[in-house]
Amino acid sequence: MTRTARAFTNIALIKYWGKKNKQWKLPYTNSLSLTLDRFYTDTKLTIIDSDKDIVSLNHKILNDQENKRILNYLDTVRKLYSFEDHFQVDTVNHVPTSAGFASSASGFAALAGAINETKQLNLNRQELSILARNGSGSASRSIYGGFVEWIAGDSNETSFAKPIDETPKIDLVLLSVVINQQSKKISSTNGMENSVKTSPFYPNWVTLVASELQEIKQAIAKKDLQKIGEIAEHNAMSMHALTLSANPSFTYFAPETIRIIQIVKELRQKGIFAYATIDAGPNVKIICTKESLEKVQTYIEQQLSNVNTVIANIGSGIQYV
């Protein structure tokens, strides 16, 4: 049996940064994201008569070292759901891989969906979110569209995402500024671990997230675009402050990242709606309105000739194709 699932990336407006349980990928804090329609992963899964899984990414078969994370995940799923089948996994990523564009979120959400369909597990979306989280924490949120909250929980059964508003009638558009599509030198997993262990500000981060999460949910309910932008930008800068205050310190920023943050502030001084958010990578996502989008895009392209911009709208949850 063969089934194909499509999952879209999400951008965390309230970030997830730090695991309290590595085995189940349980975060220290809740987080909140927006699913996007521009970047996505298609994963086709086929049950094969073999004692070994075969994994291909973008039409290239991976060796055991390259696909170690996926193989470990499939072993975990077999134990969780008590079956012994092995699979051929064919994944096509329409996302820059490991560059701060949530490729693991869409990737593991699509893989979880394909497993659910191929094995006919009949999981509801909460259970599917749990299954996706076992591959990548942020994948738990890509099961749903629109605004999504990931509940941290304290066990495999209690940590899952839930929708806040899957089809929000809100004037938000995201402009992704692609500085670098190369894989980052420090993985999100290692970056989180270093920040949790060594940043003196990590306890403050946990407190900040709890406060800003409530504020942004209220802003979403009121469709207060400015408040959403302000909170998202501050939360992103606070997360990256953890990397700078870790020991040894590190950053995902490139020189162009800093310049784009400055440009966003210049735009606001001109009365143009623009707020920045950045995941674990150099690439910047700018929260715009439909009215401000063209002005923001034009200004950035005038200021920086060596970047690409990609427009993304609010996306939907997992699909089967």
Side-chain angles (χ1 to χ4, degrees), residues 31-44:
S31 57
L32 185 144
S33 64
L34 182 64
T35 304
L36 304 173
D37 69 348
R38 180 61 179 80
F39 301 119
Y40 62 92
T41 299
D42 285 337
T43 295
K44 181 172 75 172

Side-chain angles (χ1 to χ4, degrees), residues 8-11 41 95-96 99-107 138 142 279 285:
F8 297 84
T9 62
N10 64 76
I11 177 69
T41 299
V95 191
F101 276 99
S103 59
S104 64
S106 60
S138 54
S142 279
D279 279 341
K285 294 83 176 176

Side-chain angles (χ1 to χ4, degrees), residues 15-61:
K15 305 294 186 187
Y16 144 55
W17 197 247
K19 300 182 184 80
K20 62 185 176 186
N21 182 302
K22 289 183 186 178
Q23 179 185 1
W24 298 117
K25 297 177 176 60
L26 305 182
Y28 278 102
T29 68
N30 289 19
S31 57
L32 185 144
S33 64
L34 182 64
T35 304
L36 304 173
D37 69 348
R38 180 61 179 80
F39 301 119
Y40 62 92
T41 299
D42 285 337
T43 295
K44 181 172 75 172
L45 199 72
T46 306
I47 298 173
I48 56 175
D49 184 12
S50 174
D51 59 358
K52 186 177 179 181
D53 300 302
I54 301 170
V55 180
S56 75
L57 174 62
N58 298 333
H59 311 294
K60 176 198 170 189
I61 293 179

